[in-house]
Amino acid sequence: MAALTINEAAETTGWSARMLRYIEREGLIEPARSDAGYRLYGPGELQRLRTLRELLAEHDISLGDVGFALRLRSDAGLRDAVEGWLAAEPRRPAGVAADDDWLRFEQLKHERLLGRSEPAAA
Amino acid sequence: MAALTINEAAETTGWSARMLRYIEREGLIEPARSDAGYRLYGPGELQRLRTLRELLAEHDISLGDVGFALRLRSDAGLRDAVEGWLAAEPRRPAGVAADDDWLRFEQLKHERLLGRSEPAAA
DNA sequence: CCAACCTTACCAAGGTCGTGTCAAGGTTTC
DNA sequence: GAAACCTTGACACGACCTTGGTAAGGTTGG
C-alpha cells in the first residue's frame, strides 16, 4: 500500500491527472513528493479526493468555493472580516438607537470576536 | 433622511445601479421595496454597501465568495460538510491507527459537530 | 401629460474556471 | 538505452461571472 503516482491516483479517484494538479494548486490537497519531485498520493489523500468529489456534487459548490473556505479557516483576519460583515445585517431593532450607535455596537461585537482562534484539534 | 432609490444609492456608495441589482441577486443586500416595486436603500444598507467594497478590496475576494460565505452560514448542512472535509487533513499521527480507524475517527468528530447551531445573536 | 425616474429582461464584451492536450525535459525500469 | 513514466509551462476552448448597455414598460411629480 505504498503511495500512488499521479496517474494511478487519478485512476482510483475518478479525477484526471490534470485536475489533481489543479486541486493541488488550489491548496486543497498537497501530496508528498519523491526525491525526483514525483507526486505521491497516500491512502489519506486518496480518500480525501474521493470525498471531495462527493462534497462538490452533493452541495453544488466549486473547487474555488472549497478553496475559499480553506482561506477562511486559515486566515483569521479574513474570517473575522467576512463574519463581521455578514453579522451586520441591517436589522435595527426598530427603536433601539440611532444608526451611528448601531454601527458602533456592531463594531464592538466584532472586536470581541477577535479573541477567538483555532479550536486546536483535540 | 428617508430611503434612497437605486441611482441615489449608487451615487453615495460607489457601486453602479447595475451592481446593486447584482448584489441583491447574490443575496447579499436586499433593500426594501416601495409599493410600486422601487428599491429603497436605508442607512444600514448604504453603510453595508460601503463596507462591502472595503471587504472585497482589502482581502481580494469576490462577491461570489461573500455569497458563498453567506451560504455557509445559513446552510448548516453545507457548513458541516465543508468543515468536516477541511478538518480531515491527512495528518495521521504517524503510528496511531490504521487508516480506516482514522477515517472513522474523523467521521465521529464530524457527527459531534452536528449539534452546533447559530449562536442566536445575544 | 411629460420628463425623469424606476422595473425586468435581454445582448454583449472581457475575465476567470475547469479541463484537455501538447511540448521539452528529467526519472525509472527493464 | 529505450519505453513509459513523471515534471512544469503553455495554448485552447466552452462555460460561467462580472459589468455595462439598451429596450419596453410602469411610476412620480410638477
Side-chain angles (χ1 to χ4, degrees), chain B:
Chain B
M1 67 165 266
L4 304 189
T5 59
I6 196 170
N7 276 305
E8 297 167 332
E11 186 75 26
T12 59
T13 62
W15 293 101
S16 66
R18 180 67 169 80
M19 286 310 292
L20 258 27
R21 299 200 182 92
Y22 186 68
I23 288 169
E24 181 177 2
R25 212 153 34 95
E26 290 284 299
L28 265 27
I29 288 185
E30 311 186 342
R33 297 291 188 120
S34 76
D35 282 350
Y38 285 22
R39 290 173 180 80
L40 297 175
Y41 292 87
E45 277 113 8
L46 296 174
Q47 187 56 32
R48 264 163 73 70
L49 283 170
R50 295 194 195 95
T51 54
L52 180 55
R53 310 200 86 223
E54 292 171 24
L55 182 63
L56 300 191
E58 285 175 23
H59 296 276
D60 191 34
I61 63 183
S62 71
L63 282 176
D65 287 335
V66 183
F68 178 66
L70 178 60
R71 242 185 108 189
L72 270 185
R73 130 185 287 261
S74 53
D75 181 343
L78 174 61
R79 167 163 37 75
D80 290 335
V82 173
E83 182 64 27
W85 189 87
L86 288 175
E89 285 160 64
R91 189 140 306 152
R92 289 143 301 176
V96 161
D99 297 297
D100 290 23
D101 288 332
W102 166 259
L103 202 67
R104 187 146 30 249
F105 165 69
E106 280 300 341
Q107 206 148 341
L108 281 177
K109 189 168 88 182
H110 175 234
E111 312 253 335
R112 250 188 300 120
L113 271 173
L114 281 173
R116 187 158 66 88
S117 192
E118 268 288 33

Side-chain angles (χ1 to χ4, degrees), chain A residues 21-91:
Chain A
R21 298 199 184 93
Y22 186 68
I23 288 168
E24 182 177 1
R25 211 151 35 92
E26 289 285 299
L28 265 25
I29 288 186
E30 311 186 343
R33 296 294 187 119
S34 77
D35 282 351
Y38 285 22
R39 291 172 180 79
L40 298 175
Y41 292 87
E45 277 111 10
L46 297 174
Q47 187 57 31
R48 266 162 73 69
L49 283 170
R50 296 194 195 95
T51 54
L52 180 56
R53 309 200 88 222
E54 294 171 23
L55 181 64
L56 300 191
E58 285 175 23
H59 296 275
D60 190 34
I61 63 182
S62 70
L63 281 175
D65 287 334
V66 183
F68 179 66
L70 178 61
R71 242 185 107 188
L72 271 185
R73 131 184 286 261
S74 54
D75 181 344
L78 174 60
R79 165 161 39 75
D80 289 336
V82 173
E83 182 65 25
W85 189 86
L86 287 175
E89 286 160 65
R91 190 141 302 153

